[in-house]
Amino acid sequence: MIALKFILTDGSQKVVEATEGHSLMEVAIAQAVPGIIAECGGSMACVTCLVRFDPFMAERLGAPDHMEDEMLDFAAAERTENSRLSCQIKVCSWKHGATITVPATQI
Amino acid sequence: MSDDRQETAVASCPFQSIGREYAAFEHEPMYAFFSRVRPLAPIFYSDEIGYWVVTRRVDALTALRDHERFSAEIATQPVQPWPQQITGYLKQRNFTNEAVQVACDPPRHTRIRQIAARFLNVRQFSLYEEQFRQLVNSYLDRIEGQDEADLVDAIFYEFPAQVVFLLLGEDGFDPRKIKQWGDLRLNMIWGKPSDAELEAGARDLADFWDYTVNLVEERKKKPGNDYPSFLLEKRAGDDSVLTENEIKSLVFGLLLAGHETTTNAAGNITLELLRHPKQWRRIVADPALIPNAVEEGLRFASSVVTWRRTAKEDVIVAGQEIPKGSKILIALGSANRDESHFDEPEEFDVERDNPRDHLSFGNGTHACLGAPLARLELRILLEELTRRFPNMTLVPDQEIEWTKTISFRGPDKLRVRLHG
């Protein structure tokens, strides 16, 4: 089982267990992580599933692809160098223990 | 719950009688009809329009998200095909509007959406907030001294159109033209227009297309800080990015997508708030509830109650085999009251915890690009209405008439007592 730690907008933490193969967004929606909206269901059309990774994990993830990179600029929350769209991140074993911060707003 | 329902569904077979009861163009009994039918039939066939009708949220989501098997190309085609003389007339008027967004499939859709989204997004819209607020207040100033007003006529009809014109770089657009161009176009595609309405509508459509073409040509000569200028800049003369006709079609589509849908949403939400005075008083007392009230209004009384797809191959929807080429009507309004997802779905509650799970803006790759704009407009409208007219009530015993189309639902008039 892969454990992922979400830092919520009120500062509290929520640790969720995830299985390999799903997207991070799907995991967040399935486990009702507040602040992840994902209105388009993972089509990279709405930019409402933005998250920020811890710097270590962000570096391991590498750069977003061209389309995700562009969409990140239009998010409601300010983009940081560690911002990603959670619908584009696949859950896998080496992501165990990642710390993922939910932005103050997605809309 | 879903297991129980499935058994009922199998037992009572293809729901022919339900299909006959469905009045696709009528909105008054629609929600009552669906709340009765949804537990029995996840899908039924409507002979009246020749569509399979999907009633539950889970199946609606499947169809909306699966653009490989469900084509969107039908989304803006006339429900009742236009006669030759209308298509001939539009051709003669050089009406070359083409499907660029809501009614086209990937990969074309993806290419165009990616560009349009660089302007149509929450960040860009938020820059207009103060302008929108001033616009709302300029409308409300005109009715401030009155006892009664029809809010649709006084503000809801024009405001969203003026918002679109602001995005197009047109300040203070002639409201009479808004009315003229808007009156018939939804009816032409989603309604049952008479021949005379079709003729008048086609003329208005062509006139509005001419306006769009001229606007884009003007922006080519003199670019501004607006949507058409932005699209032209991105195109930079390269047809593989966007053609000029695609730009004109995008500009044309913006008013179609952004006007009556929001007009109707404003009417629907305000009507429900005033029909439930306790809910109105809650947002008056605590305006921080307004964004959630907007979502609940969109859920409870969506301005887009159905949306269309065609099966690109043989598919199974809600347990029903549907052959390739079949037309599917996704009942968004029904999905929004699906008891398997929303507790007490027939209750209107501005403090509901999951109203945002509604499908009123669609879902999947076609999820409405203008959703953040509509939300912003509706929030500002409610903020200013509650601030300026906290004691507002409905004029009692008024008959609400709904637009007669299969997809769009909103009150034609909404008469209120402004000061209670």
Side-chain angles (χ1 to χ4, degrees), chain A residues 37-46 48 66-68 70-79 106-107, chain B residues 65 67 110 113-114 117-119 121-123 295 356 358 361-369 371-372 375:
Chain A
I37 295 171
E39 196 148 69
C40 73
S43 305
M44 229 197 312
C46 69
T48 58
H66 175 69
M67 189 159 166
E68 184 189 345
E70 292 222 325
M71 295 303 282
L72 283 164
D73 287 334
F74 308 127
E78 197 68 51
R79 179 180 184 171
Q106 301 274 14
I107 51 174
Chain B
R65 285 182 180 171
H67 54 77
T110 314
R113 180 171 178 123
Q114 221 185 330
R118 293 185 219 172
F119 190 91
N121 61 71
V122 67
R123 218 158 241 276
E295 298 304 325
R356 212 190 153 91
H358 63 71
F361 292 121
N363 197 280
T365 192
H366 287 282
C368 178
L369 266 182
R375 288 183 159 117

Side-chain angles (χ1 to χ4, degrees), chain B residues 80-101:
Chain B
Q80 309 211 329
W82 292 342
Q84 188 66 47
Q85 79 233 40
I86 296 296
T87 49
Y89 169 80
L90 286 170
K91 197 168 173 196
Q92 176 220 322
R93 288 280 311 263
N94 292 320
F95 179 74
T96 56
N97 177 48
E98 57 185 323
V100 282
Q101 291 186 296

Side-chain angles (χ1 to χ4, degrees), chain B residues 184-254:
Chain B
L184 293 166
R185 66 187 164 212
L186 295 188
N187 190 30
M188 278 186 80
I189 297 174
W190 286 276
K192 281 196 285 195
S194 66
D195 288 349
E197 285 171 330
L198 266 183
E199 271 173 37
R203 208 168 44 240
D204 295 343
L205 220 49
D207 287 349
F208 179 51
W209 176 254
D210 288 346
Y211 162 81
T212 306
V213 169
N214 288 333
L215 180 74
V216 173
E217 294 298 331
E218 274 173 37
R219 296 297 186 270
K220 271 162 70 178
K221 287 184 226 135
K222 201 173 163 218
N225 192 16
D226 51 60
Y227 186 50
S229 303
F230 172 87
L231 294 171
L232 286 162
E233 187 195 321
K234 290 293 161 200
R235 167 178 141 81
D238 184 349
D239 279 349
S240 72
V241 177
L242 273 180
T243 67
E244 271 193 30
N245 198 62
E246 284 170 347
I247 293 183
K248 288 164 186 166
S249 302
L250 282 166
V251 170
F252 183 81
L254 190 67

Side-chain angles (χ1 to χ4, degrees), chain B residues 41-262:
Chain B
I43 188 165
F44 62 83
Y45 190 77
S46 164
D47 280 324
E48 183 190 10
I49 48 174
Y51 280 74
W52 288 97
V53 183
V54 174
T55 66
R56 293 181 190 165
R57 186 174 182 276
V58 62
D59 302 314
L61 271 177
T62 303
L64 290 170
R65 285 182 180 171
D66 188 349
H67 54 77
E68 299 288 329
R69 296 192 303 151
F70 298 92
S71 169
E73 283 178 2
I74 196 174
T76 54
Q77 285 169 22
V79 174
Q80 309 211 329
W82 292 342
Q84 188 66 47
Q85 79 233 40
I86 296 296
T87 49
Y89 169 80
L90 286 170
K91 197 168 173 196
Q92 176 220 322
R93 288 280 311 263
N94 292 320
F95 179 74
T96 56
N97 177 48
E98 57 185 323
V100 282
Q101 291 186 296
V102 67
C104 81
D105 290 329
R108 174 180 167 81
H109 173 264
T110 314
R111 167 176 60 87
I112 296 173
R113 180 171 178 123
Q114 221 185 330
I115 299 167
R118 293 185 219 172
F119 190 91
L120 305 178
N121 61 71
V122 67
R123 218 158 241 276
Q124 179 75 24
F125 296 144
S126 67
L127 304 177
Y128 290 89
E129 175 158 353
E130 270 326 295
Q131 264 176 294
F132 295 170
R133 199 176 295 278
Q134 280 171 20
L135 195 50
V136 166
N137 277 308
S138 71
Y139 281 106
L140 297 184
D141 288 344
R142 290 184 216 162
I143 55 170
E144 173 102 65
Q146 297 170 209
D147 291 332
E148 277 190 25
D150 168 7
L151 288 180
V152 176
D153 181 55
I155 177 164
F156 295 163
Y157 191 81
E158 280 185 22
F159 168 60
Q162 292 290 14
V163 161
V164 170
F165 284 109
L166 275 177
L167 300 184
L168 298 181
E170 301 270 85
D171 212 346
F173 194 78
D174 182 354
R176 283 166 305 180
K177 280 197 170 165
I178 295 174
K179 185 81 181 150
Q180 186 203 330
W181 287 339
D183 251 3
L184 293 166
R185 66 187 164 212
L186 295 188
N187 190 30
M188 278 186 80
I189 297 174
W190 286 276
K192 281 196 285 195
S194 66
D195 288 349
E197 285 171 330
L198 266 183
E199 271 173 37
R203 208 168 44 240
D204 295 343
L205 220 49
D207 287 349
F208 179 51
W209 176 254
D210 288 346
Y211 162 81
T212 306
V213 169
N214 288 333
L215 180 74
V216 173
E217 294 298 331
E218 274 173 37
R219 296 297 186 270
K220 271 162 70 178
K221 287 184 226 135
K222 201 173 163 218
N225 192 16
D226 51 60
Y227 186 50
S229 303
F230 172 87
L231 294 171
L232 286 162
E233 187 195 321
K234 290 293 161 200
R235 167 178 141 81
D238 184 349
D239 279 349
S240 72
V241 177
L242 273 180
T243 67
E244 271 193 30
N245 198 62
E246 284 170 347
I247 293 183
K248 288 164 186 166
S249 302
L250 282 166
V251 170
F252 183 81
L254 190 67
L255 190 73
L256 255 67
H259 183 193
E260 284 97 332
T261 46
T262 310

